[in-house]
Amino acid sequence: MNNSDSRINPRQLGTPRGGSYAAVPTSGDRKNLNKPTRGRKKSIFEAYMSKEDSGLKRGELIQGPLRINPKKYHEAFIPSPDGARDIFIDGVVARNRALNGDIVVVKLLPKEQWKVIKPDGSDKETEVTHESDVPEDMLGSCIPQETAKGDAGSPDVIIEAQFDDNDAEHGQGHLQDVLTDDIKKLSLDTGEKAKAVGIGGVHKTKQDDGTKVDDPRLLPDKFLQRTAKVVYILEKKHSRAATGFIKLLADRNSELFKRCAMFSPVDHRVPRAYVSLADCPPDFVTRPEDYSNILFICRIVDWKGDSNFATGQLAKSLGQAGEIEPETEGILTEYGVDFSDFSPEALECLPQSLPWVISPGELAKRKDLRKECIFTIDPSTAKDLDDALSCKQLPDGNFEVGVHIADVSYFVLEETALDKVASERATSVYLVQKVIPMLPKMLCEELCSLNPMRDRLTFSVMWKVTPEGKILDEWFGRTVICSCVKLSYDHAQSMIESPGKVFSPEELPPVSPQHSIAEIQQAVLNLHRIAQHLRKQRFIDGALRLDQLKLSFTLDQESGMPQGCYIYQYRDSNKLVEEFMLLANMAVAHQIYRSFPEQALLRRHPPPQTKLLKDLMEFCNQVGLDIDFSSAGTLHRSLNETFGADKYSEARKEVLTNMFSRPMQMALYFCTGIMEDETLFRHYALNVPFYTHFTSPIRRYADIIVHRLLSASLGASSPMKMEKEAIQRQADHCNDRKMASKRVQELSTDLFFAIFVRECGPLESEAMVMGVLNEAFDVLVLKFGVQKRIYCNALPLLGFHFQKVGRKPELMLMWEPENLEQESVPQVISIFTLVEVVLTSDSIPLKYSALLKRPSSE
């Protein structure tokens, strides 16, 4: 039995699925895989190289972020530097104690130990992947698929939406279980048949009669995936914190039993760990059953080379599994989100004499726009109002349009205690039920928030534009504004949809007496018309937007439980705000790069990953879709011009949008002084040479740095003290925290949706098939935007049959008749089939299943 793998998931004891350990470096290590160690402890894991030795020798040592498959934790990957198929790290031993997200150095294994990929891929796929950052690779014509527990693949609500931090930069090489039984006979050493050390999850299927797989050295590279082992952990990015349960040790007679308990993490990618009984509740040993459903947080403090288990320290008990607050705290802790109170040192940096007023000296340095018609448009629940808009018609028929952003850098000064905290948090984190703010509430919701009828300090970008959106002139500067109304997207949408309507004061929030409702409405309509021109031109110029379905909830005000959920509608009012935020971000990017070519903090978006894009192109050809992948713009046009407006076409567009998001990489902050090749600065999705984030300094630290650079570029403040290397380090940290916050947001949505299914289910919806496997298929549940896998063996079928029609995978289901008089009802499942599904809660907390509804027999 593969002892090193069994430690993580007790349910798989005796099923040595994780041990396909072609990567075992020595025969001694191979023995360790099969035998529990007795007596003198033998090393299970290889000692790490020294940092000096791990200097990356060309070709042999490669570094990158480690990604562990959450459902098959024995499989891990790092991206290939050349954008080809990921490098495979097979088994826990080869992973050498590195955790998900760590930056590792790996050593490639000899070619005879590389993984063989079966070309036609009609394989039985048994496991569902459980996290949006590990899409499954293509099996036959099944598109790379991610099925988190109700993963809405939630897009960012802010501008740049899906490209800002799309998950799909991951998951290139997951050809899971695409080995035939014969791989057990692979020759690991010349002329010697190696023992099969538990190659994982290999199944024969009806179509698969065990085609002979030859020595990998004789196969062309396209049928091989390079394998490697971890030799050094360069940076421990994983928080080393996990939620899970505590259990007594099995061997009551051992010395360890008296001292330790076993911590079993919910996330099987984290090792099980010994924790001290002294840290466990006092009655745990006598009443362990009382704690079987209590979530704990444990921090991994060590993992010795001779132990299958890590050493952990219990941090705290969270409460009952499956409840909102304990689960939320667990998510935040696992992803290293700081939700503690702000320190007294940080709070001392805020204005101490309240109410705060703008000093006459500060007013004198700024352009006074307080009499202008300026307003905010935000979600109705927003409290941190970063941005305001204005639009004034000029005598010559053109418009003066302004984007006014909260001047957070006035309050958050470089190198103060508050600056340090903000730079560490790097971003606010938006959960379904609350926000974990980057800055103290006094700044977020009061002094910086552009609340109506309050004088506020701002940084403005103003343009002179024609009614068609052509920019004639541009101005940047520090300003002071007084917003005349806080509009919601709904209010602005009503104005756009009913341009002739006269709104009564009762239909809108309080409006400043300085401005009429009609003036505000006219400004909204003018902005809308200009935004339409700007948007149209952006897409003509080759931009791409992928709008994935985003789930929103209505919560019970008393209990905080989800009462309802709906797909968030992205409407013209959202598009209006987005256009002007993009315009401001691009204008500021040019300004700071011109002024500080070595220090500018910009945001680049690399083009899609070659290997995944190629797979997707092949898939589209197989299903007869004519998609032009040559650029972001052609992809956008293909997606938006290929489909009609009927329900089926809309659903198909949603599925394809989801698929096209997979090869997309993350957009990244970077310092221009570190990257020499200017062509790499480009933003693929927006199709522009320079882009940055300027418009959300209350909730993003990158924007604060950009504000400081902009201020220095205008001579309003002295140049930034940070050197380019420090700016790059901060950019990397902002990227890490942005990714973590996105994942936390997704998990919060998953949590609330699972509770919604439990409390309000079963739920029925139409769904569209996204991928077909031998004994299961994946669907996008259209009413809720979640993806689920449906297993044939969970349905009341007489039988089912998998086949390829041309190159298109298809499942034929034969439903059991409902009564003796009826005949069996056949149902064909292929890509883009519309089906009816039912979501039902499982007995395990926060798990739910999708079942196919029986088709009518007519």
Side-chain angles (χ1 to χ4, degrees):
M1 182 178 122
N2 180 340
N3 210 36
S4 66
D5 265 4
S6 67
R7 71 185 169 68
I8 298 186
N9 186 348
R11 281 174 297 193
Q12 295 188 344
L13 284 173
T15 320
R17 322 183 27 228
S20 64
Y21 205 61
V24 180
T26 64
S27 56
D29 265 336
R30 198 171 295 133
K31 284 177 200 144
N32 277 331
L33 282 169
N34 290 306
K35 288 183 193 162
T37 50
R38 294 261 189 272
R40 184 176 64 79
K41 281 198 165 185
K42 289 181 184 171
S43 193
I44 293 165
F45 300 103
E46 262 188 52
Y48 295 128
M49 281 185 169
S50 68
K51 187 157 188 183
E52 294 69 45
D53 290 346
S54 70
L56 309 180
K57 299 172 196 166
R58 184 166 297 135
E60 192 186 352
L61 296 185
I62 294 168
Q63 80 174 56
L66 182 76
R67 232 176 36 255
I68 305 172
N69 184 339
K71 201 66 178 183
K72 296 184 174 174
Y73 57 82
H74 54 88
E75 297 184 340
F77 305 86
I78 75 160
S80 176
D82 60 4
R85 182 177 282 122
D86 280 2
I87 295 160
F88 182 45
I89 296 155
D90 191 3
V92 177
V93 174
R95 201 156 72 226
N96 203 355
R97 296 162 285 169
L99 300 189
N100 192 54
D102 287 354
I103 306 296
V104 295
V105 176
V106 301
K107 182 178 183 179
L108 289 177
L109 295 168
K111 190 168 181 177
E112 61 264 27
Q113 295 178 26
W114 291 3
K115 183 173 173 179
V116 179
I117 287 151
K118 203 174 94 180
D120 73 335
S122 58
D123 301 74
K124 178 172 174 179
E125 228 284 12
T126 55
E127 293 278 14
V128 50
T129 307
H130 217 42
E131 177 165 77
S132 67
D133 60 9
V134 189
E136 296 175 43
D137 210 321
M138 203 171 279
L139 286 153
S141 297
C142 166
I143 205 68
Q145 169 60 22
E146 57 191 27
T147 14
K149 39 178 186 187
D151 189 346
S154 53
D156 220 332
V157 266
I158 350 101
I159 55 144
E160 245 199 305
Q162 284 52 256
F163 306 102
D164 223 57
D165 27 25
N166 194 308
D167 276 334
E169 80 281 9
H170 305 297
Q172 292 170 45
H174 298 206
L175 284 108
Q176 294 163 352
D177 300 342
V178 286
L179 305 174
T180 59
D181 286 3
D182 282 293
I183 293 183
K184 291 180 181 175
K185 306 185 189 80
L186 274 181
S187 146
L188 298 182
D189 303 304
T190 316
E192 181 201 345
K193 300 273 176 170
K195 286 180 194 167
V197 191
I199 289 188
V202 178
H203 305 272
K204 276 196 179 182
T205 69
K206 299 175 188 77
Q207 291 75 30
D208 175 13
D209 46 359
T211 323
K212 178 73 183 148
V213 175
D214 297 311
D215 184 329
R217 287 170 295 190
L218 308 176
L219 288 172
D221 281 0
K222 68 175 180 179
F223 296 134
L224 296 177
Q225 182 170 23
R226 291 181 296 169
T227 57
K229 61 181 180 179
V230 173
V231 292
Y232 187 71
I233 301 175
L234 210 55
E235 193 180 345
K236 291 182 175 177
K237 291 267 189 185
H238 189 284
S239 66
R240 271 35 190 188
T243 55
F245 303 96
I246 53 172
K247 300 182 174 74
L248 291 173
L249 299 185
D251 185 356
R252 290 177 168 268
N253 302 317
S254 70
E255 270 304 302
L256 267 179
F257 183 85
K258 298 170 193 158
R259 291 187 290 113
C260 293
M262 181 60 75
F263 172 79
S264 288
V266 174
D267 181 350
H268 294 149
R269 296 171 299 179
V270 179
R272 288 198 287 170
Y274 290 124
V275 292
S276 168
L277 278 178
D279 293 338
C280 297
D283 59 346
F284 168 64
V285 175
T286 51
R287 303 180 60 85
E289 65 283 356
D290 290 0
Y291 295 91
S292 62
N293 201 36
I294 300 292
L295 273 181
F296 286 85
I297 284 180
C298 173
R299 294 193 183 278
I300 303 296
V301 290
D302 194 14
W303 192 354
K304 300 235 181 308
D306 60 4
S307 175
N308 288 318
F309 306 106
T311 306
Q313 190 164 17
L314 276 193
K316 68 182 290 191
S317 159
L318 293 172
Q320 287 287 328
E323 289 183 5
I324 289 172
E325 285 314 313
E327 294 282 356
T328 297
E329 190 175 333
I331 292 166
L332 292 170
T333 307
E334 281 189 29
Y335 282 85
V337 175
D338 179 0
F339 55 94
S340 61
D341 293 336
F342 287 90
S343 69
E345 294 77 27
L347 296 174
E348 275 166 23
C349 301
L350 300 173
Q352 299 300 306
S353 55
L354 297 172
W356 172 81
V357 286
I358 301 168
S359 71
E362 189 56 41
L363 266 177
K365 296 178 195 169
R366 293 173 178 262
K367 187 170 187 170
D368 190 344
L369 302 175
R370 287 177 292 177
K371 290 194 166 56
E372 300 294 327
C373 176
I374 295 175
F375 47 86
T376 58
I377 305 175
D378 287 281
S380 54
T381 52
K383 291 178 182 171
D384 49 354
L385 314 181
D386 288 284
D387 53 274
L389 292 164
S390 61
C391 184
K392 183 166 71 176
Q393 185 144 20
L394 300 170
D396 61 4
N398 293 316
F399 293 91
E400 181 185 77
V401 172
V403 168
H404 313 278
I405 305 298
D407 188 357
V408 178
S409 63
Y410 174 85
F411 296 97
V412 183
L413 298 174
E414 224 181 321
E415 296 181 343
T416 58
L418 182 57
D419 186 42
K420 188 172 187 301
V421 176
S423 71
E424 283 166 359
R425 292 194 176 201
T427 179
S428 294
V429 179
Y430 290 81
L431 306 168
V432 169
Q433 78 278 34
K434 60 184 173 187
V435 181
I436 311 298
M438 178 179 84
L439 294 168
K441 198 170 181 176
M442 189 203 285
L443 286 187
C444 285
E445 297 180 15
E446 291 297 329
L447 303 186
C448 290
S449 186
L450 306 182
N451 298 333
M453 289 162 277
R454 291 277 185 273
D455 290 357
R456 289 290 178 257
L457 299 177
T458 44
F459 228 134
S460 300
V461 187
M462 298 175 83
W463 300 273
K464 184 177 177 180
V465 297
T466 67
E468 295 74 42
K470 185 168 184 284
I471 293 167
L472 305 173
D473 199 10
E474 181 174 77
W475 178 87
F476 301 94
R478 286 196 145 162
T479 49
V480 56
I481 68 162
C482 181
S483 166
C484 61
V485 65
K486 177 194 174 184
L487 296 176
S488 70
Y489 282 117
D490 290 337
H491 297 132
Q493 189 64 28
S494 301
M495 291 177 177
I496 290 166
E497 287 174 3
S498 313
K501 181 179 171 181
V502 177
F503 285 83
S504 66
E506 296 74 44
E507 291 175 272
L508 294 173
V511 173
S512 159
Q514 315 289 317
H515 300 280
S516 67
I517 291 174
E519 185 186 0
I520 293 161
Q521 185 178 9
Q522 192 55 55
V524 169
L525 289 171
N526 289 337
L527 284 170
H528 169 59
R529 286 191 204 104
I530 296 166
Q532 285 182 306
H533 287 294
L534 289 171
R535 191 175 185 83
K536 186 179 173 190
Q537 192 58 47
R538 271 200 316 113
F539 290 117
I540 289 170
D541 291 342
L544 162 68
R545 185 183 175 95
L546 297 175
D547 280 318
Q548 292 189 64
L549 300 174
K550 180 181 184 295
L551 199 54
S552 294
F553 298 86
T554 49
L555 304 180
D556 183 283
Q557 290 209 305
E558 296 292 308
S559 66
M561 295 288 275
Q563 280 180 320
C565 71
Y566 57 95
I567 297 289
Y568 183 78
Q569 294 298 311
Y570 187 78
R571 298 172 298 174
D572 284 342
S573 54
N574 301 79
K575 292 173 186 174
L576 179 162
V577 174
E578 180 185 40
E579 282 314 308
F580 291 106
M581 297 306 120
L582 287 171
L583 198 61
N585 285 334
M586 290 186 275
V588 170
H590 281 269
Q591 170 72 11
I592 62 174
Y593 182 51
R594 264 197 309 269
S595 308
F596 302 110
E598 290 290 297
Q599 275 184 303
L601 179 75
L602 299 185
R603 189 163 175 78
R604 65 192 180 89
H605 183 216
Q609 293 178 54
T610 330
K611 167 74 177 68
L612 283 183
L613 198 62
K614 228 171 94 198
D615 289 347
L616 191 54
M617 287 162 75
E618 201 174 304
F619 164 79
C620 288
N621 290 337
Q622 285 173 18
V623 295
L625 281 171
D626 185 19
I627 307 287
D628 185 346
F629 287 95
S630 52
S631 71
T634 58
L635 189 54
H636 183 87
R637 282 193 283 280
S638 298
L639 191 55
N640 287 280
E641 290 167 12
T642 310
F643 302 104
D646 60 289
K647 190 176 70 172
Y648 179 77
S649 299
E650 280 297 314
R652 202 159 70 140
K653 186 177 168 186
E654 293 301 346
V655 167
L656 279 170
T657 297
N658 217 291
M659 292 173 178
F660 290 172
S661 299
R662 302 274 158 71
M664 296 300 160
Q665 304 209 57
M666 272 186 63
L668 298 165
Y669 299 113
F670 71 102
C671 177
T672 52
I674 297 295
M675 195 168 276
E676 287 179 10
D677 184 355
E678 207 177 85
T679 58
L680 298 175
F681 294 11
R682 283 197 76 79
H683 196 292
Y684 170 81
L686 295 171
N687 196 28
V688 294
F690 306 109
Y691 189 68
T692 194
H693 274 167
F694 158 75
T695 53
S696 294
I698 294 177
R699 61 182 179 82
R700 290 190 303 230
Y701 188 74
D703 301 49
I704 294 181
I705 294 182
V706 168
H707 276 231
R708 289 172 183 161
L709 289 162
L710 181 60
S711 174
S713 80
L714 302 171
S717 60
S718 52
M720 272 183 59
K721 295 168 188 165
M722 288 172 87
E723 299 286 331
K724 62 183 182 183
E725 292 77 15
I727 294 173
Q728 183 58 47
R729 280 196 299 278
Q730 184 63 50
D732 290 338
H733 180 65
C734 287
N735 292 330
D736 289 344
R737 294 322 303 158
K738 189 160 184 63
M739 212 159 99
S741 107
K742 181 168 191 295
R743 189 69 197 123
V744 165
Q745 201 174 332
E746 290 170 353
L747 291 169
S748 177
T749 302
D750 294 348
L751 165 64
F752 273 79
F753 188 65
I755 289 171
F756 180 68
V757 176
R758 183 183 78 198
E759 298 297 315
C760 305
L763 307 173
E764 296 191 4
S765 170
E766 268 194 311
M768 185 169 262
V769 176
M770 303 179 69
V772 179
L773 307 166
N774 280 43
E775 301 191 359
F777 54 97
D778 295 312
V779 295
L780 179 66
V781 182
L782 297 166
K783 196 192 278 187
F784 306 111
V786 300
Q787 298 163 44
K788 291 298 283 181
R789 179 157 293 176
I790 296 176
Y791 295 92
C792 295
N793 61 10
L795 303 173
L797 304 176
L798 291 174
F800 58 88
H801 175 67
F802 175 89
Q803 62 178 6
K804 291 251 178 127
V805 179
R807 296 176 68 188
K808 204 171 163 184
E810 204 175 83
L811 272 170
M812 169 67 81
L813 311 182
M814 297 304 296
W815 289 81
E816 282 178 1
E818 288 185 87
N819 55 51
L820 294 171
E821 290 82 67
Q822 289 180 328
E823 290 190 5
S824 171
V825 180
Q827 186 178 15
V828 176
I829 300 292
S830 63
I831 309 268
F832 304 129
T833 302
L834 265 180
V835 295
E836 294 277 334
V837 298
V838 182
L839 303 179
T840 53
S841 201
D842 294 349
S843 53
I844 305 162
L846 305 182
K847 295 278 190 289
Y848 64 94
S849 303
L851 292 174
L852 193 60
K853 276 185 79 173
R854 177 191 294 272
S856 59
S857 47
E858 284 86 64

